[in-house]
Amino acid sequence: MGPVDYLVLEFPGNRMTGEGLSRLLDLVDRHIIRVLDLSFVRKDADGTVTALQIADLDGDGELDLAVFDGASSGLLDEDDLREAAAALRPDSSAGVVVYENLWAAPLAAALRRNGARVVAGGRIPPEDLLASLEAAEAAAS
């Protein structure tokens, strides 16, 4: 199995357009990732949090999430959704996706067969990466 990651994607004003959905589907279709869980939460202006069902999001028929209906591995639970909602600003919604990085599984298996093991890992936040690149570019100028 490849590494498993999660994302909490905030949509201010509860405006989920589905614009990124085609990119997510492309990653799935190309076997780069496998969606293990996909859930949605809404935080009202008064701070009330509501879990949303995929069917609740497609009332106008424009946001087609039916392909992900039932995407639930059990890794994502109510506590996780509450924690995700705590990070939201009022009057916002969020999609919470847990996914396996399928691209990494063959590499990890080959490395394990040869005795290698992961001793550290992490993710560089995009803001930090951009700041470092800008600083390096400024220093080179």
Side-chain angles (χ1 to χ4, degrees):
M1 184 166 192
V4 174
D5 289 321
Y6 73 93
L7 291 172
V8 178
L9 305 163
E10 182 181 56
F11 298 91
N14 297 308
R15 286 187 298 275
M16 287 188 258
T17 65
E19 189 172 335
L21 182 61
S22 64
R23 300 291 184 205
L24 182 62
L25 288 171
D26 180 57
L27 293 171
V28 170
D29 288 344
R30 291 189 298 139
H31 303 284
I32 294 171
I33 67 167
R34 175 172 55 135
V35 174
L36 301 174
D37 289 283
L38 180 63
S39 294
F40 297 89
V41 293
R42 178 178 57 228
K43 186 180 219 178
D44 294 331
D46 66 0
T48 302
V49 174
T50 307
L52 302 172
Q53 301 298 317
I54 287 178
D56 296 338
L57 300 172
D58 197 22
D60 63 4
E62 290 184 25
L63 185 61
D64 186 11
L65 296 170
V67 69
F68 293 113
D69 197 21
S72 178
S73 68
L75 292 173
L76 191 61
D77 63 19
E78 287 183 31
D79 289 338
D80 297 318
L81 292 177
R82 274 193 290 278
E83 189 175 330
L88 297 179
R89 291 175 283 184
D91 197 29
S92 294
S93 296
V96 183
V97 61
V98 177
Y99 59 96
E100 176 189 2
N101 292 283
L102 293 175
W103 63 268
L107 173 62
L111 293 170
R112 276 193 303 274
R113 281 192 301 273
N114 289 307
R117 64 185 182 97
V118 175
V119 294
R123 174 163 287 135
I124 301 170
E127 303 82 25
D128 294 348
L129 181 60
L130 291 172
S132 294
L133 292 173
E134 289 171 2
E137 185 178 299
S141 299

